[in-house]
Amino acid sequence: MKVVVIYNSQTGFTKRYAEWIAEAARADCFELSVAKKKDLSTYEAIIFGGWACAGSISKISWFKGNLGKWADKKLIAFCVGGSPADNPEIETALNQNFNESERKMVKTFYFPGGFNYEKMSAPSKLMMKMFVKMLKAKKDKTEEEQVMVKMISSSYDISDKKYIEPVLQYLQK
Protein backbone atom coordinates (compact mmCIF):
# COMPACT_ATOMS: atom_id res chain seq x y z
CA MET A 1 0.00 0.00 0.00
CA LYS A 2 1.35 3.42 -0.95
CA VAL A 3 1.07 5.69 2.10
CA VAL A 4 1.83 9.35 2.76
CA VAL A 5 2.12 11.05 6.13
CA ILE A 6 1.53 14.80 6.20
CA TYR A 7 2.06 16.84 9.34
CA ASN A 8 1.89 20.29 10.87
CA SER A 9 4.19 20.67 13.88
CA GLN A 10 4.91 23.64 16.09
CA THR A 11 7.43 22.31 18.60
CA GLY A 12 8.50 18.97 17.10
CA PHE A 13 6.28 16.37 18.77
CA THR A 14 3.93 15.97 15.77
CA LYS A 15 6.88 15.81 13.39
CA ARG A 16 8.43 13.06 15.54
CA TYR A 17 5.25 10.96 15.42
CA ALA A 18 4.85 11.56 11.67
CA GLU A 19 8.39 10.37 11.06
CA TRP A 20 7.92 7.31 13.28
CA ILE A 21 4.76 6.34 11.38
CA ALA A 22 6.37 6.98 8.00
CA GLU A 23 9.40 4.88 8.89
CA ALA A 24 7.32 1.97 10.24
CA ALA A 25 4.85 2.07 7.32
CA ARG A 26 7.52 2.72 4.67
CA ALA A 27 5.59 5.85 3.76
CA ASP A 28 6.49 9.19 2.28
CA CYS A 29 6.48 12.00 4.84
CA PHE A 30 5.94 15.70 4.13
CA GLU A 31 5.46 18.84 6.15
CA LEU A 32 2.08 20.38 5.26
CA SER A 33 3.53 23.30 3.26
CA VAL A 34 5.36 20.81 1.01
CA ALA A 35 2.41 18.39 0.75
CA LYS A 36 0.11 21.18 -0.47
CA LYS A 37 2.25 21.35 -3.64
CA LYS A 38 2.22 17.57 -4.26
CA ASP A 39 -0.10 15.37 -6.29
CA LEU A 40 -1.47 12.99 -3.64
CA SER A 41 -3.78 11.07 -6.00
CA THR A 42 -1.41 8.09 -6.28
CA TYR A 43 -1.52 7.33 -2.55
CA GLU A 44 -3.85 4.65 -1.23
CA ALA A 45 -3.67 5.94 2.35
CA ILE A 46 -3.29 9.52 3.53
CA ILE A 47 -2.38 10.25 7.13
CA PHE A 48 -2.58 13.78 8.51
CA GLY A 49 -1.16 14.87 11.85
CA GLY A 50 -1.50 18.13 13.70
CA TRP A 51 -1.01 19.41 17.22
CA ALA A 52 -3.81 19.99 19.68
CA CYS A 53 -4.87 23.58 20.19
CA ALA A 54 -7.84 24.19 22.48
CA GLY A 55 -9.52 20.94 21.41
CA SER A 56 -8.90 21.40 17.69
CA ILE A 57 -6.32 19.77 15.45
CA SER A 58 -4.07 22.42 13.90
CA LYS A 59 -4.59 22.89 10.14
CA ILE A 60 -7.28 20.19 10.02
CA SER A 61 -9.34 22.39 7.67
CA TRP A 62 -6.86 21.65 4.85
CA PHE A 63 -7.28 17.90 5.36
CA LYS A 64 -11.07 18.17 5.66
CA GLY A 65 -11.21 20.31 2.53
CA ASN A 66 -9.78 17.41 0.53
CA LEU A 67 -11.96 14.59 1.89
CA GLY A 68 -14.29 14.68 -1.13
CA LYS A 69 -11.54 13.90 -3.61
CA TRP A 70 -10.02 11.27 -1.30
CA ALA A 71 -13.19 9.21 -0.76
CA ASP A 72 -11.54 6.08 -2.24
CA LYS A 73 -8.55 6.23 0.13
CA LYS A 74 -7.86 5.06 3.67
CA LEU A 75 -7.85 8.28 5.68
CA ILE A 76 -6.30 8.79 9.09
CA ALA A 77 -5.93 11.91 11.23
CA PHE A 78 -3.86 12.08 14.36
CA CYS A 79 -3.51 14.73 16.99
CA VAL A 80 -0.57 15.26 19.35
CA GLY A 81 -1.11 17.02 22.64
CA GLY A 82 0.19 17.51 26.12
CA SER A 83 -2.36 15.28 27.85
CA PRO A 84 -1.64 11.70 28.82
CA ALA A 85 -3.18 9.08 26.50
CA ASP A 86 -5.73 8.04 29.14
CA ASN A 87 -7.33 11.49 29.49
CA PRO A 88 -11.10 10.84 29.19
CA GLU A 89 -11.67 14.16 27.36
CA ILE A 90 -9.55 13.19 24.35
CA GLU A 91 -12.22 11.26 22.46
CA THR A 92 -14.68 14.15 22.77
CA ALA A 93 -12.04 16.60 21.57
CA LEU A 94 -11.11 14.41 18.59
CA ASN A 95 -14.75 13.94 17.60
CA GLN A 96 -15.48 17.66 17.57
CA ASN A 97 -13.00 18.08 14.69
CA PHE A 98 -15.21 16.07 12.32
CA ASN A 99 -18.92 15.91 11.64
CA GLU A 100 -20.75 12.58 11.58
CA SER A 101 -20.22 11.84 7.88
CA GLU A 102 -16.52 12.82 8.10
CA ARG A 103 -16.05 10.50 11.09
CA LYS A 104 -17.25 7.62 8.87
CA MET A 105 -14.45 8.42 6.41
CA VAL A 106 -11.58 9.25 8.79
CA LYS A 107 -10.10 7.15 11.58
CA THR A 108 -8.67 9.37 14.33
CA PHE A 109 -5.90 8.80 16.85
CA TYR A 110 -4.37 10.74 19.73
CA PHE A 111 -0.71 10.69 20.75
CA PRO A 112 0.68 12.22 23.95
CA GLY A 113 3.55 14.57 23.19
CA GLY A 114 4.32 17.24 25.72
CA PHE A 115 5.28 20.87 25.92
CA ASN A 116 8.44 22.52 24.69
CA TYR A 117 8.22 26.14 25.77
CA GLU A 118 11.59 26.88 24.16
CA LYS A 119 10.20 26.07 20.68
CA MET A 120 6.71 27.54 21.13
CA SER A 121 5.67 30.63 19.22
CA ALA A 122 5.39 33.79 21.33
CA PRO A 123 1.55 33.87 21.15
CA SER A 124 1.28 30.19 22.15
CA LYS A 125 3.74 30.68 25.00
CA LEU A 126 1.80 33.72 26.24
CA MET A 127 -1.51 31.85 26.01
CA MET A 128 -0.10 28.91 28.00
CA LYS A 129 1.40 31.17 30.68
CA MET A 130 -1.95 32.91 31.09
CA PHE A 131 -3.74 29.55 31.31
CA VAL A 132 -1.28 28.24 33.94
CA LYS A 133 -1.63 31.45 35.97
CA MET A 134 -5.44 31.21 35.83
CA LEU A 135 -5.37 27.53 36.82
CA LYS A 136 -2.95 28.17 39.70
CA ALA A 137 -5.20 30.95 41.02
CA LYS A 138 -8.33 28.77 40.95
CA LYS A 139 -9.63 27.84 44.38
CA ASP A 140 -10.76 24.26 45.08
CA LYS A 141 -8.87 22.72 42.16
CA THR A 142 -9.79 19.16 41.27
CA GLU A 143 -7.07 16.51 41.47
CA GLU A 144 -6.86 16.55 37.65
CA GLU A 145 -6.37 20.33 37.63
CA GLN A 146 -3.62 20.07 40.27
CA VAL A 147 -1.81 17.46 38.15
CA MET A 148 -2.27 19.64 35.04
CA VAL A 149 -0.73 22.67 36.76
CA LYS A 150 2.34 20.61 37.65
CA MET A 151 2.64 19.20 34.13
CA ILE A 152 2.21 22.35 32.06
CA SER A 153 4.22 24.70 34.26
CA SER A 154 7.41 23.65 32.45
CA SER A 155 8.55 21.73 29.37
CA TYR A 156 8.13 17.95 29.36
CA ASP A 157 8.09 15.03 26.91
CA ILE A 158 5.77 12.02 27.27
CA SER A 159 5.94 10.90 23.64
CA ASP A 160 6.58 7.23 22.97
CA LYS A 161 6.83 5.20 19.76
CA LYS A 162 4.44 2.59 21.21
CA TYR A 163 1.48 4.92 20.60
CA ILE A 164 1.75 4.54 16.80
CA GLU A 165 0.93 0.81 16.92
CA PRO A 166 -2.87 1.26 16.50
CA VAL A 167 -2.24 3.37 13.36
CA LEU A 168 0.01 0.70 11.88
CA GLN A 169 -2.55 -2.00 12.68
CA TYR A 170 -5.34 0.04 11.06
CA LEU A 171 -3.24 0.49 7.92
CA GLN A 172 -2.86 -3.28 7.62
CA LYS A 173 -6.60 -3.95 7.78
Side-chain angles (χ1 to χ4, degrees):
M1 176 181 293
K2 190 170 178 189
V3 180
V4 64
V5 182
I6 300 160
Y7 66 91
N8 177 54
S9 188
Q10 178 178 225
T11 61
F13 295 105
T14 306
K15 179 181 181 181
R16 179 185 299 159
Y17 276 110
E19 289 173 344
W20 283 343
I21 293 167
E23 180 183 350
R26 292 184 175 87
D28 291 331
C29 187
F30 303 114
E31 200 278 327
L32 178 59
S33 62
V34 173
K36 285 180 175 181
K37 300 171 188 166
K38 299 268 184 194
D39 175 10
L40 303 175
S41 64
T42 62
Y43 292 98
E44 299 164 273
I46 299 175
I47 302 171
F48 177 81
W51 47 279
C53 183
S56 294
I57 302 171
S58 66
K59 306 293 183 183
I60 196 67
S61 57
W62 172 83
F63 181 74
K64 289 173 60 168
N66 287 292
L67 292 180
K69 66 181 178 185
W70 295 339
D72 62 331
K73 301 181 184 310
K74 188 171 275 198
L75 301 172
I76 296 170
F78 70 87
C79 180
V80 179
S83 294
D86 60 358
N87 183 329
E89 297 172 13
I90 289 170
E91 188 172 346
T92 303
L94 280 177
N95 284 337
Q96 78 181 17
N97 285 276
F98 297 97
N99 65 38
E100 191 176 336
S101 65
E102 291 167 341
R103 282 194 297 272
K104 290 176 183 173
M105 297 174 67
V106 180
K107 180 77 171 160
T108 57
F109 297 89
Y110 174 81
F111 304 139
F115 277 91
N116 186 334
Y117 283 101
E118 294 75 27
K119 291 186 178 179
M120 263 186 204
S121 67
S124 292
K125 201 181 298 188
L126 178 64
M127 182 180 76
M128 288 308 303
K129 286 186 179 199
M130 288 171 41
F131 179 69
V132 169
K133 188 176 183 178
M134 180 189 77
L135 204 52
K136 282 181 176 179
K138 184 179 177 190
K139 294 185 185 338
D140 302 320
K141 286 186 273 302
T142 65
E143 188 176 327
E144 290 85 10
E145 290 169 332
Q146 291 172 25
V147 169
M148 184 184 294
V149 167
K150 285 181 187 174
M151 283 184 76
I152 65 175
S153 292
S154 60
S155 296
Y156 64 94
D157 182 350
I158 55 174
S159 59
D160 192 312
K161 208 172 194 177
K162 71 181 180 185
Y163 294 112
I164 70 168
E165 284 305 314
V167 171
L168 301 175
Q169 291 168 4
Y170 181 73
L171 279 172
Q172 293 175 353
K173 285 184 183 175

